[in-house]
Amino acid sequence: CYDSKGELHEFGSQWKTADCFECSCSREGINCCTIYSTPVGYDKEKCVSIFNEETCTYEVVEKNDHSKTCPVHEMVG
């Protein structure tokens, strides 16, 4: 299997990409999915979700004070 960067991967192999996807190669082709969940159940008027590309995670914090986290009640992904 050749990935989007043109790198060759063996059948049965798995890898993580720099943009937070976990991929696998089979005889049917490449399958990739995100390795993070997206917060959707939080107070969107008071809070904002911020994606950390290094850890592939979201943090939900108050818009006016990013040092304060907000409760999240639902995630998708």
Side-chain angles (χ1 to χ4, degrees):
C1 301
Y2 285 96
D3 64 20
S4 61
K5 294 182 178 183
E7 294 180 34
L8 180 63
H9 298 272
E10 293 183 16
F11 291 133
S13 64
Q14 295 180 331
W15 66 97
K16 291 182 182 176
T17 66
D19 54 350
C20 301
F21 282 84
E22 186 171 77
C23 300
S24 62
C25 171
S26 70
R27 296 200 181 274
E28 288 79 34
I30 291 179
N31 182 30
C32 295
C33 59
T34 60
I35 57 174
Y36 57 88
S37 296
T38 304
V40 293
Y42 63 93
D43 183 346
K44 291 182 175 73
E45 292 196 19
K46 180 181 176 185
C47 305
V48 63
S49 65
I50 301 171
F51 188 69
N52 182 327
E53 293 180 11
E54 289 183 22
T55 62
C56 297
T57 58
Y58 277 97
E59 183 176 15
V60 180
V61 294
E62 290 186 9
K63 289 180 181 179
N64 297 330
D65 186 352
H66 286 193
S67 69
K68 295 181 180 177
T69 59
C70 295
V72 177
H73 307 289
E74 188 177 359
M75 306 278 282
V76 295

